[in-house]
Amino acid sequence: MASTLIATVVFAAVFTVPGGTNEETGTPHFVRRAFFIVFAISDTLALLFSCSSILFFLAVISSRCEEADFIGRVRADLNRGFDLLLYSVVAMMVVFCATMFIVFKDGLLWMPIIFTVMAIFTIFKHLGKLWTVAGEWSHAVSM
């Protein structure tokens, strides 16, 4: 499952912070930088969203196999699980972009800018597809 992979990666990212840690105090070197704060918040959100997505998918897998469940609760849980998976992917992309800005802080600033533009383009392209699918689904349901 993708949400399990995301949870594993962002959990490991917490312990291998970009820039390393101070050996005497154990605190990260860039703890006071704005991009490090973005990194920490986005990493936490990605972990929470992906773990919540895992829980919703487990609820779908462990549900009863009755028709009434598939019409209501199972479909709603599956939709919530996919929504949370999307949010965790977006948060993981923000973590990646923040890490690029931390790593390439001196010189080569064009690299994290290009990565961020590509990430934003990818997010908007996927959101455009979601709006199309949601519009088709709502049109089909209303008929």
Side-chain angles (χ1 to χ4, degrees):
M1 250 205 242
S3 52
T4 308
L5 180 63
I6 292 171
T8 304
V9 169
V10 296
F11 183 77
V14 170
F15 297 107
T16 56
V17 293
T21 57
N22 187 350
E23 295 196 18
E24 295 175 5
T25 61
T27 59
H29 289 292
F30 301 118
V31 73
R32 300 213 187 266
R33 293 181 61 94
F35 285 115
F36 187 81
I37 295 169
V38 170
F39 165 82
I41 292 171
S42 300
D43 195 56
T44 303
L45 288 175
L47 182 65
L48 292 175
F49 287 147
S50 62
C51 289
S52 298
S53 175
I54 291 169
L55 291 176
F56 276 108
F57 288 139
L58 286 175
V60 169
I61 290 171
S62 64
S63 65
R64 298 178 302 171
C65 293
E66 293 183 9
E67 185 177 349
D69 290 336
F70 283 100
I71 292 173
R73 191 179 63 83
V74 171
R75 189 175 76 188
D77 286 348
L78 194 60
N79 285 336
R80 285 189 201 111
F82 280 125
D83 288 343
L84 289 168
L85 179 61
L86 174 67
Y87 299 150
S88 68
V89 169
V90 170
M92 189 176 62
M93 292 173 80
V94 172
V95 168
F96 175 76
C97 293
T99 303
M100 288 293 111
F101 276 101
I102 293 170
V103 170
F104 294 109
K105 68 181 183 328
D106 298 326
L108 299 178
L109 191 60
W110 58 272
M111 287 181 67
I113 291 173
I114 288 176
F115 292 144
T116 303
V117 168
M118 288 189 307
I120 290 171
F121 176 74
T122 304
I123 291 169
F124 281 131
K125 186 174 179 180
H126 186 70
L127 287 177
K129 286 181 184 179
L130 283 178
W131 280 106
T132 304
V133 170
E136 291 172 358
W137 182 79
S138 65
H139 180 66
V141 169
S142 64
M143 291 184 123

